[in-house]
Amino acid sequence: MLTSLRYLAGTAGPSGFGSRTTAEEATAAGRDLAHITAIITGATSGIGAETARVLASRGARLVLPARSLKAAEEARARVRADCPGADVTVLPLDLSSLASVRRFVKRFLHLGLPLNLLVNNAGKYADRFAVSEDGVEMTFATNYLGHFLLTRLLLDKMAETARDTGVEGRIVNVSSTIHSWFPADDDALAYLDRVTRRKIQYDPTKAYALSKLANVLHTRALADRLKEMGANVTANCVHPGIVRTRLIRDRDGLITNTVFFLASKLLKTIPQAAATTCYVAVHPAVAGVSGKYFADCNEASPSRLGASSEEASRLWTFSENITAEKVQKTTSSVHVVSTGLFGLQAQSSIVPNRAMALAA
């Protein structure tokens, strides 16, 4: 009850910020970010777009991946209109495709840029059941698995940048309090297996909750790996708050509109929703902090399942297996076979210059 009252009132927590803090206010202490290069996924609209705008206004160089280059170009134009002279690069990336993630990383590394900050912000809520080209339930593939591979492939570059510049690298995973909606007594990976194989009915909210739980667990395991590497890079995850972004607006209707009208006092504006991401990304007070969960620009507690080191380690092993690339050569073609812990096997011929499958 006390937490809810503080949220409604916007009362500041130990950080000096609260639920009504905006992204610009949260980054005021780190005003000059000219030395920072950041990759921000999902920056074509909503919270990601505001995160990009605010970091660019502080001088950060941005790399904006998107499924649609047209949407990315439009996002770049908006950033530059607000921040003349902003250094913004756009590259194609479909997070639901592991092959697309690998292509993006190859293109980014070819640019020869440093990498100080990675904001894994992109997310989707899929009303209808779908499976990615790699054979994984689409919400999980987009919201978590693509980000897992993206982060893993960029870790060496981030560690190298931190070592060469002496500036701490930071990884921010955007999760949600909805991660706590996944039942603590349910086996996450077994559930994913059953859903993917269509052994049970698809529940879009539960699938979304699972993907957000995976973001939390990924953060915990990633922080441990970074420590083992001796890298001057941290990893934290955030709950941005309840905001009516395109993720929700795409489901407009009488029931949705009524619920949001009644809950209007609980909603954040987009600048407020981007505050926690920006705070964790650049604020000096978060230096050296890793493996934590933040809400309203303050450290918070994830669900019991989200705090499990055992589950985090189990998910990490699963993710490494399912994103592993094994090339099998035959006389007629070359196939990439991805095999997961629950026995998923997705085969796809390697096709040069493959078109992006989804539009942002």
Side-chain angles (χ1 to χ4, degrees):
M1 177 63 74
L2 183 59
T3 300
S4 297
L5 290 174
R6 285 177 175 170
Y7 175 86
L8 289 171
T11 305
S15 69
F17 302 118
S19 62
R20 301 309 174 202
T21 298
T22 66
E24 290 195 356
E25 292 167 344
T27 57
R31 184 174 294 275
D32 183 10
L33 302 178
H35 60 293
I36 297 295
T37 297
I39 293 176
I40 307 171
T41 68
T44 58
S45 65
I47 296 170
E50 177 66 1
T51 299
R53 185 191 71 80
V54 171
L55 295 185
S57 74
R58 305 299 190 201
R61 176 197 287 128
L62 304 181
V63 176
L64 307 183
R67 290 172 290 184
S68 163
L69 279 180
K70 180 177 182 293
E73 292 285 359
E74 291 171 350
R76 173 165 61 183
R78 289 193 297 270
V79 169
R80 286 180 170 170
D82 192 78
C83 314
D87 187 344
V88 185
T89 298
V90 298
L91 291 172
L93 171 62
D94 175 1
L95 282 162
S96 73
S97 163
L98 299 181
S100 178
V101 172
R102 291 188 175 93
R103 287 193 296 270
F104 167 81
V105 171
K106 184 176 180 179
R107 289 179 178 125
F108 171 76
L109 295 178
H110 184 71
L111 295 175
L113 297 175
L115 182 58
N116 309 91
L117 174 62
L118 173 61
V119 180
N120 291 321
N121 166 81
K124 70 177 296 177
Y125 181 99
D127 284 318
R128 298 176 181 274
F129 174 79
V131 174
S132 74
E133 66 181 44
D134 301 291
V136 182
E137 188 278 315
M138 188 64 78
T139 303
F140 189 86
T142 304
N143 295 0
Y144 166 68
L145 199 62
H147 281 129
F148 172 86
L149 181 60
L150 176 67
T151 303
R152 185 169 67 82
L153 295 178
L154 291 172
L155 279 186
D156 286 345
K157 170 54 70 173
M158 294 198 72
E160 173 190 292
T161 299
R163 183 174 60 251
D164 292 346
T165 64
V167 177
E168 178 184 82
R170 297 188 185 184
I171 299 168
V172 183
N173 289 330
V174 179
S175 181
S176 168
T177 190
I178 292 175
H179 84 272
S180 64
W181 295 9
F182 190 84
D185 59 352
D186 203 345
D187 185 309
L189 296 183
Y191 172 77
L192 179 63
D193 179 26
R194 294 194 301 273
V195 168
T196 302
R197 293 175 181 276
R198 308 199 77 168
K199 298 295 185 181
I200 57 176
Q201 184 175 357
Y202 176 70
D203 179 339
T205 300
K206 191 171 183 179
Y208 183 77
L210 173 61
S211 72
K212 296 289 101 178
L213 172 63
N215 294 147
V216 176
L217 293 171
H218 176 216
T219 301
R220 189 176 186 86
L222 178 59
D224 290 339
R225 297 319 187 274
L226 289 167
K227 185 176 181 180
E228 291 171 3
M229 289 171 60
N232 183 24
V233 180
T234 64
N236 293 289
C237 63
V238 304
H239 163 52
I242 306 171
V243 59
R244 198 169 195 186
T245 63
R246 192 178 69 184
L247 193 71
I248 300 299
R249 289 197 303 272
D250 287 346
R251 272 147 289 282
D252 277 352
L254 179 60
I255 294 177
T256 300
N257 291 337
T258 300
V259 168
F260 272 86
F261 173 76
L262 295 174
S264 60
K265 294 299 182 183
L266 299 176
L267 297 179
K268 288 186 175 185
T269 65
I270 287 178
Q272 290 168 346
T276 305
T277 298
C278 290
Y279 172 76
V280 174
V282 303
H283 201 282
V286 191
V289 177
S290 194
K292 302 300 183 182
Y293 177 79
F294 287 80
D296 300 329
C297 299
N298 286 274
E299 191 175 328
S301 298
S303 68
R304 180 169 62 85
L305 197 56
S308 171
S309 296
E310 181 181 348
E311 287 301 313
S313 179
R314 183 167 170 251
L315 178 64
W316 183 278
T317 300
F318 163 82
S319 304
E320 283 192 319
N321 275 273
I322 204 169
T323 58
E325 207 173 34
K326 181 179 179 182
V327 179
Q328 293 183 346
K329 294 184 178 180
T330 67
T331 56
S332 59
S333 62
V334 178
H335 295 276
V336 176
V337 182
S338 298
T339 58
L341 291 187
F342 51 72
L344 284 178
Q345 292 190 342
Q347 292 193 350
S348 58
S349 298
I350 297 176
V351 182
N353 302 318
R354 181 175 185 172
M356 306 303 290
L358 300 173

